[in-house]
Amino acid sequence: MGSTEVTPSATLVESFEDAFGPLLQGAHDMFSLDDNLSVDTPDGESANGGLVDISGLHAVEAKLKEARKKNREIVDAARNDLRAMSRTFEQQRLSATRSPALPSQQEHEARMAIALADRRAKMKQNGELEQTLYRLQADVERLQQELKEEEADAFEVSELNGEVLRLKLYRDFGFTPVEENGTISKVLVPPSTARRVKSIRALSEAGSALAMDVDEAKEDGEKVLVRDESFVVLERKGLPAEVEELLMDADPYTDPFRACLDSQTGFAYVISRECCYRTTSPTTYLFPLPPSLSLPANVSVFSPLSFASFVPTATHQNQREPGLLIISTTGDIRFWDNVSMALSGVDRFKTVAANLQEGELVRGLVLASPTSYLVSTSQSRVLVISIASSGGRSTLSVRPFDRARGWAGSVWSAVFGGKGPDPRAGILALALSNASRDGERMGYAVTDKNVQVWRIPKEEGGERLVVEQDLFAGVLEGIKGEKVGNEEWALNEGQVEIVDAKVSSDGALAVLVSHVADSTTPNKLSYAVVSLNVGAALNTVAVQSVKKLAYQAHPDPRPLSTPSLSLLRGDTAFVTFVDAVVMLSLASESTFEEVFPLRSSSNRFLGASVNASTSPNTYPCLSLLTSTASLLTVEVTSVESIQNEQAGSEEHKTRKLKGKIEQGIYFGGNDADNPLAFDLLPDFEGDLIAASEAVSQEILSSSSAHMPYILDLRAQLADRVLRARALIEYIGSNGLLGKLSQSARRRLSWDAEKLSAAVALWHYQNSRLGGGPSLLSTAVDNFMTEIGEGFSEDPVRVFFRTQVSSIGLVLEHVTKLAKSTLAASGSSDLKSPTLQEANHLVLLVFNAVARFRADSGALYGLDPNLHPLEAWSSRPIVLENLQWHFDSTDALLRERSRELGTSVDDEQPKYTGRSRGASVDVSNQQVLQAELKKQMASLADFVFGMYEERLSFLRTINADTGSSPESRVITERYLSLRPRFIRTLVSIGKVTNAYDLAERYRDFRSLVELCNDGQHGSPGRIRLFMQKYSEEFAFALYHFYVEKGQLRVLMEQDDEYRPLLTKFLDETGNPRVAWLNDIAIGRFAHATETLVSEAASESDLAQKKLLLSLGKLSQIAQASKETIETEDVQRAIEAVDDALDIVNSQHGLKDLFVQSLSNAELQLPVAEQGELVTTRIAPSLAQLPSFAQLYTKLVSDLLQGRTLSAEDLIDLLTLKETTHADSADFSSALEILVRAKDLPEGRKEVALQNIWRRVYLRDDWASLRAATELKDEEVANALRNTALFATLTGAAGADHPASMYLRPLESLFTGSAEELAARFPDAPSHLIDLLLNDYESENQSLREAVQQHMLDDYCSEVARLMGEEVGEVEGAVGDDSMMED
């Protein structure tokens, strides 16, 4: 073990002493004495009758000492060997211990039973599905053939230019032209081991020729599974039916197979437990395996199959087929001189035994030379099988490599020789280097810890063990990156295990190891390839390089599932797992690694072999046989690119990711028969968005190197559509859709929908070929000329191959052409075909886009309410053009009706409508008219859809605020044109389309108008939409009823819709109707509040009285006998009564004013009536012109039935002349003021001043003072007839607060211009000034009465007289209020 020292087990030492102690103690018995040496007998005589020879005794003693010394040396050597053997034993014991992670035998059997039952069910299901698939494929092929026969296009020779013909021929030869920017820049020739490309030479465009020399033609049945600039993977099916049946019926957990494709002979074999199959088509040869005794369970699991190899020896070089060599696990060998012997004489084989030791098993078979094979065993031995030919007969011999084994080896065999066989012990890999100039090779027999280095000469015999040393320490050093000590070696915390080994072209030993690192996923293993330089002396293992695989694998419980390592020239390595192959470069600077996993979990790799050819014209390759009976070949097409690949920038990672995505969609996306999986690993590197968008753009422009060249443009477009769909399906199937932003998903979707639109346009254009230029071809020509690409032989085809991304711009050219034609044409006969074709082209595109979005929206995971990017289909110019198409078609229809007569709109086949009497068959005109109308319906649909898409985009970028100028403009335009378009569709008879558009685009107002249309609507439709859309439709319907004054219809809604009506009335300003609904549903409180609120703002007096009366009734209706007497209810009723009292006061005044006019005067205009009433009722206002003007206006309003405010009523009551009969007017004014709860305090104070000031000014105090001849009784009577006495008397019973009584000087007007302006908001400023002047005149008169006519004294006397008559007054206007100055 090199420098690593492990202490032997004490138990082993003790057993050794017990077994060999007596032997060592009696070692002197092993030596004989000289014949002449005498030994004394007990009786003193010598044995030969003579005396004892003293010198002889000394000689014996000396020999005994020498013997003891030799024995001690032997014991020491044995103990040293024992220590080494004990270490090996302990390691073997640990490796043989069953891992606790593996299931028990019972669990394993249960799992196998479940898996077997599931497998049978799946096989049955798979068989049924395959039968269905075959039937459907047959139907598809039949339909495709019929379609091809029906739609076959006949081309003139002149239409197929030379370049097209050449490209078709190249493709027929199996070559793949690569198109870049619309031109063919190169041609790809898929490489394989069976065909070697000698030269590819592309000439100039002038010659347009391609010269190739190919050794062999493409083999039949070979299929490219995946291709890149560095490699290509090919599949060849069609293995013999016997092999396919064998593999199909096998259970991978109980029926192992070993397979190999021999690169030297070109033959393949498959080994099962029973026999060996030579599988090269078309014949299958069956060879019986050597008989095997009953093997232990561990051997059946870990080494169940024999080993085989084809024999391309020198003795068989002239034969057509090679020989076959088979060796069983237990060492029985069989050899057939020729594999064709399986046809007759399969039992005529040579046989020989390998002479294995007890418990020894065969672990490998390797070709060393054309006549010799090396066999590795479980006891770390190497055997050589030699095949010799003498006299045309082959002979076999087996011998071991001579490895000197000392006495300790014999002891080991004696002690442990009876141990059972261990199929995982001994040599796990036997690797040979390339032969040197003299034919010598180095062999490396690798065990789990050590390596034996053998020098193997060219001639048989003379093999020599150069060195056996510790390899594991070097492996640990490579994995860890530093030297390891004995403890780390023993503990092996990284669970490092040697799996396989090969010798590289530079002589280094490449070791495949498994290990567990910090980055290893749980329940998986990481792998690495450690390249070591193994010297010829002990402890000379040096690490050359370490390549750690990014790929990780689960431990596979199936037999023969250990990964294997294969090396190709150019430092290219392959690691073959059961379900995947990893290709990597061992070059020190390269980071190349590519994984080829199998798609199906039931499929597995059975064997791998490397092409041994060194021809420079042959690609190095790895051949693999799978359990699906197919042969895969991985060819390295560019060793340089693999060696030079280095970890680079994010751009480099994105480029690699793009290549991986391309493999998935071009080779795996739509090919269910591809056995390889193309899933992205979760830890992929690179920008997924950039990579996927780049792939999508290349599909759109046909610029991908993987894009198959298809001459038929229909098929080529269909293929690109499938590739675009495969792209998003690939991303979704790998669970990566969430890593794409909504913007990226939109861009991918737009690319794909443009391809769908291109398919529709090309079908149309293809049907028009040969009939002259179409509107589409002209538009495409104009566009291609505009971008500088219009000089190719066929710009239309070039556009559909490379410029589909600009399909929106082509539609703009279509509209331009249509506009110019319509502007230049005067007759509808010239306009109609052009506009019809233009409409058709626009609708082809938008119909294809709409279908794509409906079918694929969920596939892309698009949020319908989120449009972060400006869509190509809703740019402002597109909206404008779509609207132009609709309006122009509408105008053209009206023009055609005028020119051709209204009968053109009928469905009759013929009519006569020309004004000049010409009878014309115009059925075609009717068809065209109907087509134009149909196009209008579709155009309206897309106009609405694109407007909403545009608005959604604007809402997204403006964070749903809708505050941008464009958003407001687009919204207003859309809301105005939507009902107009719907009405237009109704006018042309497209009522069903109008209903559909109004419903789909949720134009509920238009939907309501359609439902209420006398000709096209019905109550049934209203009920339908009420049930379907509930509130949205109901509110629009109710608004319509309110606007049209159909309140009765509104209130006659069915009870099931009453909640909707209630919600509508509550949320909208319709109180005049809402109270009726409140009464109907019993919401009396709400009805009262609504009625009173409406009455407060009602200007019509009669209506106001009605509303208040209804409000009072509703208020009473909601109260019960128990609650009607409560304070809250009484207060509410009182509030309504107060409002009614004010209304009644207005009615009283109105009656008074009417009575003052004669019948003739009542016929005069209201303004004149007001003037007459003012003159008669308030003659004193002649001195106060602004008051007179105000009074006249108020009288006119009242005569017209208008409602007046409390302030207006106070002015009407206090400014008119008051007789004794009207003495209660001032007290009524006070009552009105008290009830005016909503009057601001400032204006309320001014109104109170107005009342008392006019009370004091109503009587002639100057005349009363001047009457000096009056008696006291007469003065008292005069005072009792004053307005002051009447007002105080009337107010005495009202229980007004003291604040409602003002003394004369407190009654002066103190209001401001602002308060007057607040009361009269419509009054001009000069009128406000005039009013202020009149108020000042009243103030002056009141001051004069106080200062000159003893008004205060008269007020005191009036108070005293009132006190005598009304005892309850108790000085309400006494000294504390009005009597004191």
Side-chain angles (χ1 to χ4, degrees), residues 175 221 350 503 673 954 1129 1281:
F175 307 144
K350 309 294 189 303
V503 180
D673 294 331
L954 295 175
V1129 174
N1281 290 325

Side-chain angles (χ1 to χ4, degrees), residues 304-324:
L305 300 181
S306 301
F307 298 87
S309 176
F310 292 109
V311 182
T313 59
T315 57
H316 298 84
Q317 288 179 355
N318 295 327
Q319 296 182 4
R320 186 171 181 271
E321 295 181 334
L324 179 65

Side-chain angles (χ1 to χ4, degrees), residues 403-655:
R403 178 184 180 187
R405 185 175 67 178
W407 180 79
S410 300
V411 172
W412 175 268
S413 299
V415 178
F416 302 105
K419 182 183 178 183
D422 186 353
R424 294 185 296 180
I427 299 172
L428 55 86
L430 187 58
L432 298 178
S433 68
N434 295 329
S436 61
R437 292 183 178 179
D438 56 1
E440 187 178 73
R441 306 177 73 178
M442 300 301 294
Y444 298 86
V446 180
T447 67
D448 59 343
K449 295 292 188 296
N450 300 338
V451 59
Q452 303 172 15
V453 183
W454 292 87
R455 190 180 303 279
I456 304 173
K458 181 178 182 180
E459 301 297 332
E460 293 191 15
E463 299 87 1
R464 182 173 63 87
L465 177 64
V466 178
V467 68
E468 180 176 5
Q469 56 181 323
D470 184 3
L471 184 69
F472 193 61
V475 170
L476 288 178
E477 177 185 342
I479 295 297
K480 194 170 183 181
E482 60 184 9
K483 293 286 186 180
V484 295
N486 293 341
E487 183 178 357
E488 293 176 296
W489 187 96
L491 292 177
N492 189 16
E493 294 178 347
Q495 303 178 34
V496 179
E497 291 185 8
I498 297 176
V499 179
D500 197 6
K502 290 292 187 295
V503 180
S504 63
S505 57
D506 60 357
L509 181 63
V511 181
L512 174 65
V513 298
S514 66
H515 63 101
V516 177
D518 295 338
S519 60
T520 303
T521 304
N523 301 322
K524 285 189 175 184
L525 293 175
S526 296
Y527 291 86
V529 179
V530 182
S531 297
L532 302 170
N533 287 325
V534 181
L538 286 175
N539 301 324
T540 57
V541 176
V543 178
Q544 178 176 306
S545 66
V546 178
K547 289 292 181 179
K548 295 183 178 180
L549 278 67
Y551 179 80
Q552 300 177 5
H554 288 283
D556 199 305
R558 292 176 288 186
L560 304 180
S561 59
T562 304
S564 63
L565 176 65
S566 303
L567 301 182
L568 277 68
R569 68 176 187 266
D571 293 328
T572 302
F574 290 91
V575 180
T576 305
F577 296 88
V578 174
D579 55 357
V581 175
V582 180
M583 176 182 177
L584 69 155
S585 174
L586 301 182
S588 58
E589 300 298 328
S590 176
T591 60
F592 179 86
E593 179 177 336
E594 190 73 28
V595 182
F596 307 105
L598 290 174
R599 177 182 303 210
S600 173
S601 59
S602 62
N603 194 9
R604 61 174 295 180
F605 290 116
L606 302 179
S609 61
V610 174
N611 179 13
S613 174
T614 59
S615 171
N617 294 326
T618 303
Y619 291 126
C621 66
L622 178 76
S623 298
L624 305 110
L625 284 170
T626 70
S627 59
T628 58
S630 62
L631 173 64
L632 303 187
T633 303
V634 184
E635 296 184 351
V636 182
T637 57
S638 177
V639 176
E640 293 77 10
S641 63
I642 295 176
Q643 292 177 335
N644 297 330
E645 180 169 323
Q646 300 180 12
S649 61
E650 283 298 319
E651 182 180 356
H652 171 79
K653 296 175 182 178
T654 301
R655 209 163 42 244

Side-chain angles (χ1 to χ4, degrees), residues 1334-1379:
D1334 287 352
Y1335 280 121
E1336 183 58 31
S1337 297
E1338 286 187 329
N1339 286 347
Q1340 185 63 33
S1341 298
L1342 183 58
R1343 291 192 191 97
E1344 182 179 345
V1346 172
Q1347 295 172 2
Q1348 299 180 12
H1349 306 301
M1350 300 174 57
L1351 177 58
D1352 287 338
D1353 295 337
Y1354 288 128
C1355 288
S1356 299
E1357 183 64 17
V1358 169
R1360 187 188 65 80
L1361 292 174
M1362 190 185 68
E1364 292 178 355
E1365 295 186 7
V1366 185
E1368 297 83 11
V1369 176
E1370 296 182 354
V1373 292
D1375 294 340
D1376 294 334
S1377 58
M1378 298 180 60
M1379 300 306 135

Side-chain angles (χ1 to χ4, degrees), residues 160-173 175 177 184 187 204-210 709 711 793:
L160 295 177
N161 55 60
E163 182 179 0
V164 174
L165 290 174
R166 284 190 295 274
L167 291 176
K168 186 177 187 305
L169 290 174
Y170 299 156
R171 180 164 180 78
D172 291 341
F173 290 152
F175 307 144
I184 306 301
V187 174
S204 63
E205 277 192 8
S208 298
L210 187 66
Y709 185 82
L711 186 63
E793 295 183 7

